[in-house]
Short mmCIF file of all heavy atoms in Angstrom, two decimals:
data_model
loop_
_atom_site.label_atom_id
_atom_site.label_comp_id
_atom_site.label_asym_id
_atom_site.label_seq_id
_atom_site.Cartn_x
_atom_site.Cartn_y
_atom_site.Cartn_z
N LYS A 82 0.75 2.09 -0.97
CA LYS A 82 1.54 3.35 -1.08
C LYS A 82 0.71 4.46 -0.55
O LYS A 82 -0.29 4.88 -1.16
CB LYS A 82 1.87 3.61 -2.53
CG LYS A 82 2.79 2.50 -3.16
CD LYS A 82 4.13 2.42 -2.42
CE LYS A 82 5.07 1.39 -3.02
NZ LYS A 82 6.34 1.26 -2.32
N LEU A 83 1.12 5.02 0.58
CA LEU A 83 0.35 6.07 1.24
C LEU A 83 0.72 7.41 0.75
O LEU A 83 -0.03 8.35 0.92
CB LEU A 83 0.58 6.01 2.78
CG LEU A 83 0.23 4.67 3.40
CD1 LEU A 83 0.52 4.76 4.91
CD2 LEU A 83 -1.21 4.27 3.19
N THR A 84 1.90 7.58 0.15
CA THR A 84 2.45 8.90 -0.19
C THR A 84 2.36 9.14 -1.69
O THR A 84 3.06 9.97 -2.21
CB THR A 84 3.84 9.04 0.29
OG1 THR A 84 4.62 8.00 -0.32
CG2 THR A 84 3.94 8.90 1.76
N THR A 85 1.55 8.43 -2.38
CA THR A 85 1.42 8.65 -3.83
C THR A 85 0.09 9.28 -4.19
O THR A 85 -0.89 8.64 -4.44
CB THR A 85 1.58 7.30 -4.59
OG1 THR A 85 2.72 6.70 -4.15
CG2 THR A 85 1.65 7.53 -6.11
N PRO A 86 0.03 10.60 -4.14
CA PRO A 86 -1.24 11.31 -4.49
C PRO A 86 -1.49 11.19 -6.00
O PRO A 86 -0.66 10.90 -6.78
CB PRO A 86 -0.97 12.69 -4.03
CG PRO A 86 0.49 12.93 -4.10
CD PRO A 86 1.10 11.56 -3.84
N GLY A 87 -2.73 11.60 -6.31
CA GLY A 87 -2.99 11.64 -7.79
C GLY A 87 -3.81 10.47 -8.17
O GLY A 87 -4.59 9.90 -7.34
N LYS A 88 -3.68 10.04 -9.38
CA LYS A 88 -4.47 8.96 -9.90
C LYS A 88 -4.27 7.71 -9.15
O LYS A 88 -3.15 7.27 -8.86
CB LYS A 88 -4.16 8.76 -11.38
CG LYS A 88 -5.03 7.75 -12.09
CD LYS A 88 -4.71 7.58 -13.59
CE LYS A 88 -5.59 6.55 -14.24
NZ LYS A 88 -5.30 6.45 -15.66
N GLY A 89 -5.31 7.06 -8.72
CA GLY A 89 -5.21 5.79 -8.08
C GLY A 89 -5.08 5.90 -6.60
O GLY A 89 -5.13 4.89 -5.85
N SER A 90 -4.91 7.08 -6.05
CA SER A 90 -4.79 7.27 -4.65
C SER A 90 -6.17 7.19 -3.96
O SER A 90 -7.18 7.46 -4.60
CB SER A 90 -4.10 8.63 -4.27
OG SER A 90 -4.89 9.67 -4.74
N LEU A 91 -6.15 6.93 -2.67
CA LEU A 91 -7.38 6.78 -1.91
C LEU A 91 -8.07 8.13 -1.73
O LEU A 91 -7.39 9.17 -1.61
CB LEU A 91 -7.19 6.12 -0.59
CG LEU A 91 -6.57 4.66 -0.61
CD1 LEU A 91 -6.34 4.25 0.79
CD2 LEU A 91 -7.59 3.71 -1.27
N SER A 92 -9.35 8.19 -1.65
CA SER A 92 -10.08 9.41 -1.34
C SER A 92 -9.84 9.76 0.10
O SER A 92 -9.43 8.93 0.92
CB SER A 92 -11.57 9.22 -1.66
OG SER A 92 -12.17 8.24 -0.82
N GLY A 93 -10.25 10.97 0.50
CA GLY A 93 -10.10 11.39 1.88
C GLY A 93 -10.80 10.51 2.85
O GLY A 93 -10.27 10.12 3.88
N LEU A 94 -12.02 10.11 2.55
CA LEU A 94 -12.78 9.28 3.43
C LEU A 94 -12.19 7.86 3.59
O LEU A 94 -12.11 7.33 4.73
CB LEU A 94 -14.26 9.13 2.95
CG LEU A 94 -15.19 8.38 3.84
CD1 LEU A 94 -15.32 9.03 5.18
CD2 LEU A 94 -16.58 8.26 3.21
N ARG A 95 -11.70 7.34 2.45
CA ARG A 95 -11.05 6.03 2.54
C ARG A 95 -9.74 6.10 3.22
O ARG A 95 -9.34 5.15 3.95
CB ARG A 95 -10.89 5.45 1.12
CG ARG A 95 -12.18 5.05 0.41
CD ARG A 95 -11.90 4.36 -0.90
NE ARG A 95 -13.21 3.91 -1.52
CZ ARG A 95 -13.23 3.23 -2.65
NH1 ARG A 95 -12.08 2.94 -3.31
NH2 ARG A 95 -14.41 2.85 -3.12
N GLN A 96 -9.01 7.16 3.05
CA GLN A 96 -7.76 7.30 3.84
C GLN A 96 -8.06 7.33 5.31
O GLN A 96 -7.36 6.67 6.08
CB GLN A 96 -7.06 8.63 3.45
CG GLN A 96 -6.46 8.57 2.06
CD GLN A 96 -5.67 9.91 1.78
OE1 GLN A 96 -5.29 10.62 2.67
NE2 GLN A 96 -5.52 10.18 0.47
N ALA A 97 -9.11 7.99 5.73
CA ALA A 97 -9.43 8.11 7.11
C ALA A 97 -9.79 6.69 7.64
O ALA A 97 -9.44 6.31 8.75
CB ALA A 97 -10.62 9.05 7.37
N ALA A 98 -10.58 5.93 6.83
CA ALA A 98 -11.04 4.58 7.27
C ALA A 98 -9.83 3.63 7.37
O ALA A 98 -9.70 2.94 8.38
CB ALA A 98 -12.01 4.02 6.26
N VAL A 99 -8.97 3.67 6.32
CA VAL A 99 -7.81 2.77 6.40
C VAL A 99 -6.88 3.17 7.55
O VAL A 99 -6.34 2.29 8.22
CB VAL A 99 -7.05 2.83 5.03
CG1 VAL A 99 -5.75 2.02 5.07
CG2 VAL A 99 -7.95 2.23 3.94
N GLY A 100 -6.65 4.47 7.70
CA GLY A 100 -5.81 4.97 8.75
C GLY A 100 -6.32 4.59 10.11
O GLY A 100 -5.58 4.18 10.98
N PHE A 101 -7.62 4.70 10.27
CA PHE A 101 -8.21 4.34 11.55
C PHE A 101 -8.03 2.83 11.90
O PHE A 101 -7.74 2.52 13.01
CB PHE A 101 -9.77 4.67 11.55
CG PHE A 101 -10.45 4.42 12.90
CD1 PHE A 101 -10.41 5.40 13.87
CD2 PHE A 101 -11.04 3.25 13.14
CE1 PHE A 101 -11.07 5.18 15.06
CE2 PHE A 101 -11.64 3.02 14.35
CZ PHE A 101 -11.67 4.00 15.31
N ALA A 536 2.64 5.71 13.87
CA ALA A 536 3.01 7.16 13.88
C ALA A 536 3.64 7.57 12.55
O ALA A 536 3.38 8.64 12.02
CB ALA A 536 4.01 7.43 15.02
N ALA A 537 4.50 6.71 11.97
CA ALA A 537 5.09 6.99 10.67
C ALA A 537 4.08 7.02 9.58
O ALA A 537 4.17 7.83 8.64
CB ALA A 537 6.24 5.92 10.42
N VAL A 538 3.13 6.11 9.67
CA VAL A 538 2.04 6.09 8.68
C VAL A 538 1.21 7.36 8.75
O VAL A 538 0.79 7.92 7.71
CB VAL A 538 1.13 4.83 8.88
CG1 VAL A 538 -0.15 4.98 8.06
CG2 VAL A 538 1.89 3.59 8.46
N ALA A 539 0.92 7.78 9.94
CA ALA A 539 0.14 9.05 10.15
C ALA A 539 0.83 10.24 9.49
O ALA A 539 0.11 11.10 8.88
CB ALA A 539 -0.08 9.32 11.62
N VAL A 540 2.11 10.23 9.48
CA VAL A 540 2.87 11.33 8.86
C VAL A 540 2.91 11.18 7.30
O VAL A 540 2.91 12.19 6.59
CB VAL A 540 4.31 11.44 9.42
CG1 VAL A 540 5.15 12.48 8.72
CG2 VAL A 540 4.26 11.76 10.92
N LYS A 541 2.92 9.93 6.86
CA LYS A 541 3.06 9.70 5.43
C LYS A 541 1.78 9.99 4.59
O LYS A 541 1.86 10.10 3.39
CB LYS A 541 3.49 8.25 5.15
CG LYS A 541 4.89 7.99 5.57
CD LYS A 541 5.28 6.55 5.25
CE LYS A 541 5.33 6.29 3.72
NZ LYS A 541 5.83 4.95 3.41
N TRP A 542 0.58 10.09 5.23
CA TRP A 542 -0.60 10.26 4.43
C TRP A 542 -0.58 11.60 3.67
O TRP A 542 -0.15 12.58 4.24
CB TRP A 542 -1.85 10.30 5.40
CG TRP A 542 -2.25 8.97 5.87
CD1 TRP A 542 -2.30 8.51 7.10
CD2 TRP A 542 -2.89 7.94 5.07
NE1 TRP A 542 -2.79 7.24 7.23
CE2 TRP A 542 -3.21 6.87 5.92
CE3 TRP A 542 -3.22 7.79 3.73
CZ2 TRP A 542 -3.81 5.67 5.50
CZ3 TRP A 542 -3.83 6.62 3.27
CH2 TRP A 542 -4.07 5.58 4.15
N PRO A 543 -0.97 11.58 2.41
CA PRO A 543 -0.90 12.84 1.65
C PRO A 543 -1.99 13.86 2.03
O PRO A 543 -1.87 14.98 1.60
CB PRO A 543 -1.08 12.34 0.19
CG PRO A 543 -1.82 11.12 0.30
CD PRO A 543 -1.37 10.45 1.59
N GLN A 544 -3.06 13.43 2.73
CA GLN A 544 -4.12 14.32 3.09
C GLN A 544 -4.41 14.19 4.61
O GLN A 544 -4.11 13.15 5.24
CB GLN A 544 -5.36 13.98 2.33
CG GLN A 544 -5.24 14.16 0.77
CD GLN A 544 -6.50 13.82 0.01
OE1 GLN A 544 -7.58 13.95 0.57
NE2 GLN A 544 -6.32 13.44 -1.23
N TRP A 545 -4.96 15.26 5.16
CA TRP A 545 -5.25 15.28 6.62
C TRP A 545 -6.25 14.19 7.11
O TRP A 545 -6.11 13.71 8.19
CB TRP A 545 -5.78 16.69 6.95
CG TRP A 545 -4.72 17.67 7.17
CD1 TRP A 545 -4.28 18.71 6.36
CD2 TRP A 545 -3.81 17.72 8.29
NE1 TRP A 545 -3.25 19.37 6.86
CE2 TRP A 545 -2.89 18.85 8.05
CE3 TRP A 545 -3.65 16.97 9.44
CZ2 TRP A 545 -1.88 19.13 8.97
CZ3 TRP A 545 -2.67 17.31 10.35
CH2 TRP A 545 -1.79 18.36 10.12
N PRO A 546 -7.27 13.83 6.37
CA PRO A 546 -8.18 12.81 6.79
C PRO A 546 -7.45 11.50 7.20
O PRO A 546 -7.79 10.89 8.20
CB PRO A 546 -9.19 12.58 5.66
CG PRO A 546 -9.20 13.91 4.97
CD PRO A 546 -7.78 14.43 5.05
N GLY A 547 -6.46 11.11 6.38
CA GLY A 547 -5.74 9.91 6.70
C GLY A 547 -4.94 10.02 7.96
O GLY A 547 -4.92 9.14 8.81
N THR A 548 -4.33 11.18 8.19
CA THR A 548 -3.51 11.39 9.41
C THR A 548 -4.44 11.43 10.65
O THR A 548 -4.18 10.79 11.60
CB THR A 548 -2.77 12.75 9.29
OG1 THR A 548 -1.90 12.73 8.17
CG2 THR A 548 -2.02 13.06 10.53
N LEU A 549 -5.50 12.21 10.54
CA LEU A 549 -6.44 12.27 11.66
C LEU A 549 -7.04 10.92 12.01
O LEU A 549 -7.24 10.50 13.18
CB LEU A 549 -7.49 13.31 11.42
CG LEU A 549 -7.07 14.73 11.27
CD1 LEU A 549 -8.17 15.67 10.86
CD2 LEU A 549 -6.38 15.20 12.52
N GLY A 550 -7.46 10.17 10.95
CA GLY A 550 -8.01 8.86 11.15
C GLY A 550 -7.09 7.91 11.90
O GLY A 550 -7.43 7.09 12.71
N THR A 551 -5.73 7.95 11.44
CA THR A 551 -4.74 7.05 12.00
C THR A 551 -4.51 7.43 13.48
O THR A 551 -4.48 6.51 14.36
CB THR A 551 -3.37 7.21 11.26
OG1 THR A 551 -3.62 6.95 9.86
CG2 THR A 551 -2.40 6.27 11.78
N VAL A 552 -4.43 8.71 13.78
CA VAL A 552 -4.24 9.12 15.18
C VAL A 552 -5.44 8.74 16.02
O VAL A 552 -5.29 8.27 17.17
CB VAL A 552 -3.94 10.65 15.26
CG1 VAL A 552 -3.86 11.13 16.73
CG2 VAL A 552 -2.61 10.97 14.52
#
Side-chain angles (χ1 to χ4, degrees):
K82 299 296 183 182
L83 304 179
T84 57
T85 307
K88 185 177 180 180
S90 62
L91 298 176
S92 64
L94 183 59
R95 289 187 177 182
Q96 287 183 25
V99 173
F101 184 87
V538 167
V540 174
K541 288 183 68 175
W542 282 112
Q544 297 180 26
W545 277 107
T548 300
L549 295 176
T551 305
V552 174

